[in-house]
Amino acid sequence: MKKALTLSLALALVFSLTGCAGQPSGGDTTTPSPSAPVVSPSAAPIPDAEPVELIVFAAASMTETLNEIAKKYQEVAPNVTLVYNFDSSGTLKTQIQEGADCDLFISAAQKQMNQLDSSRDADGGNAEGLDFVLQGTRVNLVENKVVLVAPEGNPAGVAAFDDAATDKVKLIALGNSDVPVGQYSEEIFTNLGVWDQLNADRKITFGTNVKEVTSQVAAAAVDCGVIYATDAFSAIANGDRMEIVTEAPEGSHKQVVYPAAVLNVTKHEAEAKAFLEYLQSDACSAVFQSVGFSIPG
């Protein structure tokens, strides 16, 4: 009888210890599923698991990088479907102003973001008094470079930006005046003292966005063109027949900084903020830097 009682107590003690070892401290008995995705601590938290369609308006020069990032974000936020609208920043600004659905805006220049930001009224950046930027969300996301490109083999022998005003160049492709890359181009050629001559000689053919300018150069429809370094990198990597001639002279134009902000008309503020935070993560920085973007300090 005594032996039986001793055995029973020993078994009870074993089961008791086993139960304690299997339960986390604090009484939390939830265990993670082995198939659940592991989210990096730097990734933005996902507010809920309801399906959400997030509309992102972004400069055309971000097409390749943001499409790659969309695939990565599916692992972090499988409930979020990213819908991109890529175009020139001026066109996107106009669409937002006219009431297009948009949750997050990424511009290729400060100008177009300023025009939508009520906090820029005082410094003249928002002459129309527009109010679309959700205050406290605006960040400088990436920085780019402006380069002179030519068709593969550079048949015209272009070597510098001011060569555009010489007999070497019969036609050059630039962005429109409402397109940031076009504005940077005009600034560069004005500082070089040849902008008026280019217009007088009717050497310029204009594109509605940077992708259109890139296509004209790759098709050898022009002798050269001015685009972003990242677009040149992506085009050449994709097999387009073009080459980079040189970067714009130092100090010839403003910094090419891409601001991003959640819009105050969004219906998905939490998800838009989460995606904007994710865009600033190390994973996204690596994608941006892989094609030539740099991260502002």
Side-chain angles (χ1 to χ4, degrees):
M1 183 73 175
K2 187 175 180 180
K3 289 183 179 179
L5 178 59
T6 301
L7 181 59
S8 297
L9 289 173
L11 289 172
L13 180 60
V14 169
F15 288 132
S16 173
L17 290 174
T18 303
C20 292
Q23 180 172 325
S25 61
D28 183 3
T29 59
T30 304
T31 56
S33 166
S35 61
V38 178
V39 179
S40 165
S42 63
I46 304 306
D48 55 57
E50 292 294 320
V52 170
E53 185 175 88
L54 205 61
I55 302 174
V56 180
F57 280 27
S61 50
M62 303 199 79
T63 302
E64 291 82 8
T65 50
L66 286 182
N67 279 331
E68 183 174 345
I69 285 171
K71 298 173 185 176
K72 293 178 178 293
Y73 199 58
Q74 274 292 299
E75 300 175 6
V76 175
N79 63 305
V80 176
T81 299
L82 295 170
V83 178
Y84 292 128
N85 178 22
F86 295 109
D87 211 320
S88 72
S89 299
T91 297
L92 297 175
K93 174 261 177 184
T94 300
Q95 292 174 352
I96 291 169
Q97 179 181 353
E98 292 177 348
D101 288 338
C102 178
D103 299 297
L104 181 70
F105 178 40
I106 309 174
S107 173
Q110 301 286 8
K111 177 180 178 180
Q112 287 73 23
M113 188 68 77
N114 289 347
Q115 290 172 333
L116 298 172
D117 189 345
S118 63
S119 71
R120 297 304 175 99
D121 291 347
D123 62 13
N126 186 345
E128 299 172 88
L130 301 176
D131 182 13
F132 285 90
V133 171
L134 182 62
Q135 297 304 313
T137 65
R138 181 171 173 173
V139 297
N140 289 332
L141 188 61
V142 293
E143 186 174 347
N144 212 337
K145 301 291 184 185
V146 179
V147 296
L148 183 69
V149 291
E152 189 175 59
N154 193 0
V158 181
F161 274 77
D162 49 13
D163 278 350
T166 69
D167 292 339
K168 289 181 179 180
V169 175
K170 294 182 176 59
L171 199 60
I172 181 172
L174 304 177
N176 282 336
S177 60
D178 66 337
V179 180
V181 73
Q183 293 158 5
Y184 293 125
S185 301
E186 181 176 347
E187 187 179 1
I188 292 165
F189 287 118
T190 298
N191 285 330
L192 292 175
V194 299
W195 177 250
D196 290 339
Q197 183 180 339
L198 290 177
N199 281 279
D201 292 343
R202 297 184 178 181
K203 287 189 173 186
I204 305 172
T205 175
F206 291 100
T208 59
N209 59 52
V210 70
K211 295 300 182 187
E212 191 171 307
V213 176
T214 304
S215 296
Q216 290 184 55
V217 177
V222 294
D223 297 305
C224 58
V226 178
I227 61 176
Y228 297 121
T230 54
D231 287 279
F233 181 95
S234 297
I236 294 169
N238 289 332
D240 287 351
R241 301 173 66 83
M242 62 184 298
E243 60 186 65
I244 298 174
V245 175
T246 185
E247 284 187 12
E250 187 175 353
S252 63
H253 63 88
K254 298 183 185 72
Q255 281 184 287
V256 187
V257 176
Y258 288 49
V262 175
L263 300 189
N264 57 23
V265 293
T266 180
K267 298 174 184 176
H268 307 291
E269 181 178 328
E271 290 82 4
K273 285 181 175 179
F275 182 57
L276 181 54
E277 183 179 344
Y278 180 72
L279 287 173
Q280 299 168 73
S281 68
D282 290 343
C284 291
S285 293
V287 174
F288 291 134
Q289 291 172 321
S290 70
V291 298
F293 282 114
S294 58
I295 308 302

